[in-house]
Amino acid sequence: MPGIVGIISQRSAHECESLVKSMVGSMEHEKFYASGTYAAPEMGVYGGWVAHENSFAAGQVFFNEQRNVALIFAGECFADPEIRAELRQKGHELGETAGDWLVHLYEEEGDQFFAKLNGLFSGLLIDKKEGKAFLFNDRYGVERIYWHEREDAIYFASEAKALLQILPELRAFDEEGVAQFLAFGCTLEWRTLFRGVGLLPGASVWSFESGKCHKQKYFSSETWEAQPKLSIEVFESEFQATFKRILPRYFESGSKIGISLTGGLDSRMIMAGRPETLEEPICYTFAGEKGETLDARLAARIARACGLDHHMLRIGPDFFSDFASHADRTVYTTDGCFGITGAHEIYLHKQARHLAPVRLTGNYGSEVLRGMSTLKPTGLSSHLLGADVSHSVNSAASQLTKGHPVTFAAFREIPWNLFGSFAAGRSQIDLRTPYLDNEIVALAYRIPESARTSPLPALRFVKDNDPALSNIPTDMGNASDGGGIAASLSRFFSKATFKLDYLNNEGLPHWLSPFDPLLRRFSSRAKILGLHKHLHYRSWFQQELSGYIRDVLTDARTQRSPLWNSDFLKSLATEHTRGRKNYVLEINAVLTLEAIERLLFRQLPSEMSSLANSGGAGRQRESLLTT
C-alpha cells in the first residue's frame, strides 16, 4: 500500500539508510508503484516512500526553492484554489507537482501548517533551517502510521510489516490487541495486533529536535463538539452551499476518475452536486458472479440519467480457484486489518484500476451524517476460544465508549473498524471521499438532533440539485417526497429484503441453518434473495471454498494455537460446511489470525518477496540521499 517509512536515530547513517530501503521494499506490492528514499544524516532523520504512479504523492520528495525544507508524504491534501493563488502572490514558485504547495504553506504558516491541512494523509517534514523534523498524520488517523520506540531510535511506517521486516522481535501478537480484534473485529484506542507496535493517534504532530521527541496534537474533536446546533432549515442551507463548494476539490485529477455508484444516498449526492469537468468520470458498481443486485440496477439508472458510462465489475471463477492467494494477499497487504472475508476487495479494485486509477466514493457519508455504525461486538461463539483468551475477550468487550456520534464515527469507527477495506482498496487505486472533508465533518456536528438519523436532508439535496436523480428510488426505498402509502410500502419491502439478504449471508442464526435450503428455494422463486448483497461468504464457505476452509482449520499448527479450543475447532468446519451451523464469523477470525501468524511472523522475509513479485515489485526511484 502507498505510504511512508522512516527512522529517527543518531546511529550509523549507513545502517539507517539500509534499514529504510528494506522497509520501503516490504511495501512495494505492485509494478505501478513508485518509491524512493531521502535522508538528512546530520539531523539523524531517514525516510522513504511508496506511491501510485501519477498520484498526488508521486512527485516527491517536495522541496522549497532553497531545498532546505523537504517533505515526504502519503495520501492527498485538498485545498481551495485561493490558497495556491495566495502562495504565488507571496512569491513562491509552484511547479506542476501536485504537492509542491505544501512545503510553501509550511514556510508561511510554521507550526500552524498542520491544522491547515485537509484530507487523509501522513508525512515527514524535515526543516534543516530550524533543525527540526515533524511526523504527522490527518486529524482522523485514517492514514495510518505504525511506530516503535527505543532509547536510541524511533521507527515508523504506514504498514506494520515494514517494522516487522527489520525488527524480528516485534513478530508476535499483542495479547490485548488480539482480544480487541476477537471482540470487535478490529483493535481500539490506537492499539495494534503486534507486540511493541503502536498507532499514531489522529491529529498527531511529533517533533524531533536535538535528539528529543515532543508528542503533541494539533487538533481535538472537542473544538467541533463545542459548536452550537443549527435549525433544520439553516443546516440544510449550509450543507447545500458547503457540499457544492467542496466537491470540485475531489474531481480535480491528472488521472481518470471513477465514481463507485451504489443505490444509496451518499454516492447519489455526489452525482447530484458534481461539477462540470473537462473529462467525464466513469461509473462502476461492484457485483457478484452473476445477476444484478438492486445497487447495480439503480446505479446504472443513475449513470444513464447523468449521461455517463456504467460498468459492473464482477467476481469471476478465478476468485474461487485462487482464493487462498487472494486471502493471503489481503491479510498481508492490510497487516491483518482486513480478513479472509475481505478477499474480494483487492480483486475488485484491480478491475477498477483498469477503468480509472482514482476512485471517488460515497464511503463514510452514512456514518458521519446519519450516525450509521457497524462497530459492535462480533459475538463469536464462547466455545471457540481458549479459557485464558475468553476472559481477555470478555474484558475487551467492555472497553468501547461512544460519546458524541460524529466523534465516534469520524475519529473512532472509520480509522479503527473501517480501515481494512480502505487499505485493501488503496493498494490498487487512490481513494477519495468528500465526507471526511474538514468542512463537512465540522458541519455534521451542527445537525439538529431531530435530523441526525434522517435521510430527508440528503433526499432534499438531491432533489434541489438534480431532480431527475430524485425520481430514482434508493436501495432503501426512499423517494424524494419521503411520504405516501406507496413510499412507505417501498421502504418496508426494501428493509425486509435487506434483512433477508443479511440472513442469507453472515447473519443466519444457528437455529435457522437446517432450514437454509427452504429459505433459498423460497427466495429464489420470489427473486428477492441477493437483491442487496453480492458477497456470499457463508454459502461460499459451505460450497466453493469448503475444501480450503477444512484444510486450514484442520491444520496441525492451527489446532495447537493457544487462542482456540481445539476440540471445538475440529467440528467447526464440518458443522458449517454441512449447513448445520453458521460459523462464518468464527471461521474468518481463525483463518485471519492464522494468516497473520504465518505471513507476518514466520514467513515474513520470504513471503514479502514472493507476494511482491506476484504483483510485481514497484519501480524504485534513484535514492535522494543527501547530506
Side-chain angles (χ1 to χ4, degrees):
M1 185 182 75
I4 63 173
V5 304
I7 300 173
I8 310 294
S9 177
Q10 294 301 321
R11 289 160 58 184
S12 153
H14 175 75
E15 178 186 4
C16 291
E17 290 167 5
S18 177
L19 290 173
V20 164
K21 287 182 179 180
S22 180
M23 294 167 76
V24 169
S26 73
M27 290 168 46
E28 292 184 292
H29 308 309
E30 301 288 353
K31 291 180 180 178
F32 51 81
Y33 287 0
S35 62
T37 57
Y38 177 81
E42 72 276 18
M43 296 174 59
V45 180
Y46 307 85
W49 54 273
V50 175
H52 291 148
E53 289 182 332
N54 303 316
S55 67
F56 183 96
Q60 57 186 315
V61 175
F62 304 127
F63 293 100
N64 63 349
E65 287 85 353
Q66 295 76 30
R67 297 179 72 86
N68 54 16
V69 177
L71 174 64
I72 299 174
F73 194 81
E76 291 186 298
C77 271
F78 302 95
D80 286 327
E82 289 78 8
I83 290 181
R84 280 169 280 196
E86 289 177 6
L87 290 172
R88 287 192 179 94
Q89 289 177 356
K90 292 178 179 179
H92 294 287
E93 297 179 8
L94 304 187
E96 296 182 359
T97 304
D100 279 351
W101 60 275
L102 290 170
V103 172
H104 300 299
L105 185 63
Y106 165 75
E107 290 185 294
E108 292 294 329
E109 299 290 342
D111 290 348
Q112 301 303 310
F113 160 74
F114 308 102
K116 299 283 186 180
L117 301 181
N118 182 21
L120 305 179
F121 54 81
S122 60
L124 174 66
L125 191 147
I126 304 167
D127 186 342
K128 294 184 179 181
K129 296 182 299 182
E130 300 293 331
K132 292 182 179 180
F134 302 90
L135 177 65
F136 62 95
N137 62 351
D138 64 77
R139 59 186 61 192
Y140 313 108
V142 173
E143 188 69 45
R144 285 194 170 191
I145 291 291
Y146 295 87
W147 61 275
H148 174 72
E149 186 172 8
R150 295 181 175 179
E151 287 187 6
D152 62 345
I154 290 181
Y155 305 83
F156 59 89
S158 298
E159 297 184 22
K161 71 181 66 62
L163 302 181
L164 273 55
Q165 171 73 12
I166 64 169
L167 302 171
E169 62 273 25
L170 302 181
R171 298 177 198 168
F173 282 123
D174 177 86
E175 292 182 3
E176 182 63 24
V178 170
Q180 292 175 353
F181 172 82
L182 293 172
F184 294 101
C186 65
T187 56
L188 312 176
E189 300 293 347
W190 313 111
R191 185 177 286 273
T192 77
L193 289 168
F194 311 105
R195 182 179 62 194
V197 178
L199 273 178
L200 208 65
S204 287
V205 54
W206 289 10
S207 60
F208 303 90
E209 183 179 15
S210 303
K212 296 181 179 179
C213 175
H214 302 279
K215 301 176 181 179
Q216 297 177 310
K217 295 190 69 174
Y218 62 83
F219 179 81
S220 170
S221 61
E222 295 175 355
T223 302
W224 283 343
E225 291 175 9
Q227 299 175 106
K229 294 289 190 294
L230 300 174
S231 68
I232 186 61
E233 295 80 12
V234 173
F235 168 76
E236 288 194 20
S237 176
E238 286 286 322
F239 180 80
Q240 293 240 7
T242 303
F243 199 62
K244 285 190 288 186
R245 186 179 69 253
I246 66 101
L247 266 181
R249 303 171 186 171
Y250 296 87
F251 280 84
E252 284 187 18
S253 175
S255 302
K256 184 80 172 178
I257 287 184
I259 302 179
S260 53
L261 285 181
T262 69
L265 279 169
D266 301 317
S267 60
R268 188 85 54 96
M269 284 194 287
I270 292 174
M271 298 300 285
R274 72 191 188 284
E276 291 186 8
T277 55
L278 293 176
E279 184 177 8
E280 293 284 15
I282 195 164
C283 302
Y284 55 80
T285 302
F286 296 147
E289 313 112 282
K290 56 187 177 181
E292 292 185 0
T293 61
L294 186 60
D295 260 350
R297 293 202 294 269
L298 292 174
R301 290 178 62 184
I302 294 165
R304 190 162 54 247
C306 296
L308 300 175
D309 291 334
H310 178 261
H311 300 258
M312 281 200 297
L313 307 183
R314 292 190 177 278
I315 290 174
D318 59 317
F319 176 74
F320 302 103
S321 63
D322 200 22
F323 183 79
S325 175
H326 294 305
D328 280 359
R329 191 166 187 80
T330 299
V331 172
Y332 179 82
T333 300
T334 67
D335 295 314
C337 293
F338 219 25
I340 303 304
T341 53
H344 58 278
E345 202 77 15
I346 293 178
Y347 179 91
L348 291 171
H349 277 86
K350 277 182 176 287
Q351 298 180 45
R353 182 176 178 82
H354 289 304
L355 295 176
V358 179
R359 177 190 172 195
L360 180 56
T361 171
N363 284 358
Y364 316 136
S366 296
E367 288 82 4
V368 171
L369 296 176
R370 293 185 293 282
M372 188 188 80
S373 175
T374 56
L375 178 49
K376 55 187 177 182
T378 55
L380 296 177
S381 170
S382 59
H383 301 296
L384 173 67
L385 307 174
D388 293 340
V389 178
S390 181
H391 176 76
S392 298
V393 170
N394 290 335
S395 176
S398 63
Q399 295 177 11
L400 186 65
T401 57
K402 293 209 168 183
H404 194 287
V406 182
T407 296
F408 180 77
F411 294 87
R412 296 174 187 169
E413 173 151 23
I414 292 170
W416 300 345
N417 188 43
L418 302 182
F419 173 78
S421 176
F422 173 84
R426 208 165 79 76
S427 72
Q428 304 302 308
I429 59 179
D430 287 317
L431 280 170
R432 296 177 174 180
T433 174
Y435 295 106
L436 285 180
D437 188 278
N438 291 347
E439 294 188 60
I440 294 299
V441 179
L443 187 57
Y445 282 85
R446 310 192 71 184
I447 298 174
E449 293 302 325
S450 60
R452 182 161 298 284
T453 60
S454 173
L456 292 180
L459 288 166
R460 282 193 278 265
F461 178 89
V462 175
K463 184 176 183 179
D464 290 348
N465 289 278
D466 195 331
L469 296 186
S470 72
N471 293 327
I472 302 172
T474 72
D475 57 346
M476 287 290 102
N478 292 306
S480 58
D481 57 11
I485 296 176
S488 297
L489 289 174
S490 177
R491 288 193 292 270
F492 174 80
F493 176 78
S494 296
K495 291 177 181 178
T497 53
F498 186 87
K499 182 66 174 178
L500 263 178
D501 263 3
Y502 172 72
L503 290 175
N504 180 50
N505 291 281
E506 69 272 16
L508 191 70
H510 293 315
W511 65 270
L512 264 181
S513 293
F515 302 99
D516 185 32
L518 293 176
L519 178 65
R520 289 175 180 276
R521 193 175 302 118
F522 165 76
S523 299
S524 177
R525 289 177 179 176
K527 295 184 178 180
I528 55 177
L529 192 64
L531 191 62
H532 293 268
K533 291 183 176 290
H534 66 279
L535 303 172
H536 306 284
Y537 279 96
R538 185 181 68 84
S539 60
W540 292 342
F541 286 174
Q542 286 181 351
Q543 299 170 45
E544 293 92 337
L545 303 175
S546 59
Y548 166 78
I549 298 300
R550 281 193 295 266
D551 287 346
V552 180
L553 289 178
T554 57
D555 178 78
R557 190 181 290 270
T558 305
Q559 291 281 334
R560 291 196 301 268
S561 171
L563 293 172
W564 318 120
N565 174 355
S566 59
D567 291 334
F568 180 78
L569 210 58
K570 293 175 183 177
S571 64
L572 185 60
T574 301
E575 291 290 288
H576 186 91
T577 56
R578 293 185 179 179
R580 296 171 183 165
K581 298 287 180 67
N582 174 17
Y583 285 130
V584 66
L585 296 178
E586 287 79 4
I587 291 171
N588 179 64
V590 174
L591 268 62
T592 298
L593 289 176
E594 181 278 333
I596 293 171
E597 194 273 338
R598 172 168 46 86
L599 299 171
L600 296 177
F601 298 165
R602 288 190 282 120
Q603 301 175 6
L604 180 60
S606 60
E607 202 62 36
M608 183 274 292
S609 176
S610 63
L611 285 173
N613 288 335
S614 68
R619 176 174 58 83
Q620 179 78 26
R621 287 193 175 187
E622 182 180 355
S623 296
L624 298 172
L625 297 173
T626 66
T627 57

